[in-house]
Amino acid sequence: MENVSESSNLPSNPSVESENVQKEMQSDKKRKQRVVSNCWDHITKLNVGGVAKAKCNHCGTVLSCGSGTSHLNRHTRQIHGFNQPTIEEVFENKQHLVKTESGELGIQKFDPLVARQKLTTVVVKHELPLRFVEYESFRDFVDYCNPLVKHMSRNTLKSEIFKIYNIEKGKAMNLLEITNSRVAITTDIWTAYNQKKGYMVVTGHFIDNSWHLQSRILRFIYVQAPHTAECISQILVKCLMDWNLDRKLSTVTLDNCSTNDAMVARLKGLLSTESMILSGNFFHMRCAAHILNLIVKDGLSVIESSITRVRDGVSYWSSSPKRVEKFELACRQIQIDVKKLGLDCPTRWNSTFAMLELAVKYKSVFSRLQTLEPQYKCLPSSEEWELAKQMLDYLRPFSKLTEMFSGTTYPTANLFFPLVCKMRIALKGWQTSDVPAVKNMVDNMIGKFLKYWDEINGVLVMAVILDPRYKMVLINYYYPKIYVVGLENQLKRVRELCDEMMNYYEAKSATTRYGVVGESSTALVVPSDQSYIDFDDIDDMDDFDAYATQNSQPISSKSDLDRYLEDPLVKRTPDFDVLRWWKMNKGKYPILAEMAKDLLAIPVTTVASESAFSTGGRTLSPHRSRLHPDTLEAIMCSQHWLWATSSRGGVPEEEIFTGEELKDEDEDGPQILD
């Protein structure tokens, strides 16, 4: 009976028993899978006050536990570098490896829109052709890096460029809107050789609220011929209106020509002069580099015959590869460093200076080559070489002036006046030269200099006074050396100008302070319910007494300008930053600080606008001559804005793209710029 009883407790069906065992094993396996995760190799479970916690074995960080292991895996992966996913997992989840700021690898979700935007930025900033995205080798490279990337066509790239243009334009407009200073304008017109079309660039220069000098291209616009004063003025006014700058202008800097003179007169009629500094008396600024070019060209006309012979010699020995080889061989024989000869641009005196300087260095080479090459018959005489050498000594300071005037990353208005004074004194001294050619050259240069002196001697005098290294001391130092007659009248004019500018900015500041215009206006708030005023305690004036104690100091009758001029000069050092000084002292001289922010932003040359034409010439190369004007404007403006907001803050020379392999592109119709 016992045996029967025991046998009755056994399963009657062996297959059922096997199935139950398998279920239990699968259940145990699932339980183990739920508990075991890669993070548990580095994490230990804790029980803190009855609450489940997880503690990192490496750094001791206590994390929550019981709500999944994603955050635990993230901690071990990002903090300690464990449990990195495999390449298959990365691509399966549309992720890619990226470098963090610390230089370590991390995981990031791949976003095709971001990838497209970054590729477009590369094309725009580095002047790559639109067809670059269709190059087979480039697409192979992208496929190798990330097979998930969807390739762009050049038409798609063009659409992306316009998107970047609109985004960056909005940022630039917002920056100008929040900047509480005036904007100086430079503009110029360039004719594209490949298209035979005229383009006008308008650049705004200003000092932002952090006291950094900024510039932004506002338009790079196609201008139909003829380029009359009426046509140019209408385009410029429309640009200023679109950017809401018509009431924030300080000056407009232009090249010296009759068309620009007429254009400025029309601008004053189209814009409100009431919003300009001193009703627009200093609205027109002539390009200092252009004036300097005119002055030196008049001087060089005295030795034109010598320059012509040097130019002919340079042209002869650089006209063919065979002659270049002969020239280089002669240099090596005389043991002189070989440099490439280059012709000058007759309209740019500094290029003529560079050509003469190099030619004088190779004087012995040219003489040697005359004996080897009978056809070379334009060798200057010994007297002409000597005269050219003397002229170089006189003109070398002017070359340095041109380089200093052409700066775009630092204020030039405060540097211009002292350098011009030095130039004026040097010319005056050269008039006593015993060399007739030098004396004639100086006479021509002084005649041209005096023609523009009164226009130079204006708002830029205020700019140098606002430099704490100079103030009025520099004016008192140079003027007696320049003016033999009428010195007192000239000093009086400067002081009257200072007072006039000070009165203008004081009135402007008062208008803003008392709420007529501006954001800092304060209105008197009167309670609508008079029951809030306790007339029983009318004698309780404790708050007023405290206020009177703090604010009853005697008020100085001296203006900001008087106190500023009475303070000692700041020591001149090579690394002095005038904008930083005003940023640190704006609380001490608030009215003058407003003036400095407006005047120190004024560029004395149109170099900033002309440099855009250099970029335009590379972008509109002979192999890309069919770019539509709207596309060209989007590329030019976007490139300038992107570089301006990058950490490097400008287009570096090593990044310039000069490829010649580009094809015609962008044959489609125009796209409308927002």
Side-chain angles (χ1 to χ4, degrees), residues 129-135 154 157 663-667:
L130 303 188
R131 205 182 293 272
F132 173 79
V133 295
E134 296 179 346
Y135 289 171
R154 63 187 180 92
L157 174 63
K663 303 294 183 181
D664 287 345
E665 55 187 58
D666 196 26
E667 303 173 9

Side-chain angles (χ1 to χ4, degrees), residues 226-347:
H227 302 154
T228 62
E230 180 181 2
C231 173
I232 298 173
S233 60
Q234 289 178 351
I235 293 174
L236 186 55
V237 168
K238 186 178 185 303
C239 171
L240 297 175
M241 294 287 190
D242 291 343
W243 284 75
N244 194 26
L245 297 178
D246 52 298
R247 294 171 297 171
K248 295 181 64 175
L249 289 180
S250 59
T251 60
V252 55
T253 304
L254 304 162
D255 278 346
N256 182 52
C257 66
S258 56
T259 301
N260 285 338
D261 292 343
M263 188 263 286
V264 170
R266 290 187 60 85
L267 279 178
K268 288 186 176 181
L270 296 172
L271 299 173
S272 173
T273 57
E274 294 181 0
S275 61
M276 299 179 185
I277 300 176
L278 298 183
S279 300
N281 290 342
F282 303 108
F283 180 63
H284 185 194
M285 284 285 299
R286 298 184 184 273
C287 175
H290 194 233
I291 292 176
L292 194 61
N293 187 55
L294 295 175
I295 292 173
V296 178
K297 279 182 64 180
D298 272 22
L300 290 176
S301 63
V302 176
I303 59 168
E304 184 60 35
S305 59
S306 302
I307 294 175
T308 301
R309 293 182 70 83
V310 172
R311 186 182 292 122
D312 292 342
V314 171
S315 176
Y316 182 88
W317 291 110
S318 59
S319 60
S320 68
K322 185 176 180 180
R323 290 175 179 174
V324 171
E325 290 176 359
K326 282 187 176 181
F327 182 85
E328 293 176 350
L329 177 61
C331 290
R332 286 191 289 268
Q333 289 173 343
I334 305 179
Q335 297 182 347
I336 297 179
D337 294 337
V338 179
K339 290 186 178 181
K340 184 179 179 180
L341 294 175
L343 282 172
D344 65 328
C345 175
T347 60

Side-chain angles (χ1 to χ4, degrees), residues 393-408:
D393 292 336
Y394 284 110
L395 296 177
R396 191 165 283 107
F398 290 88
S399 178
K400 294 180 179 179
L401 282 180
T402 302
E403 293 178 5
M404 188 167 291
F405 291 166
S406 302
T408 58

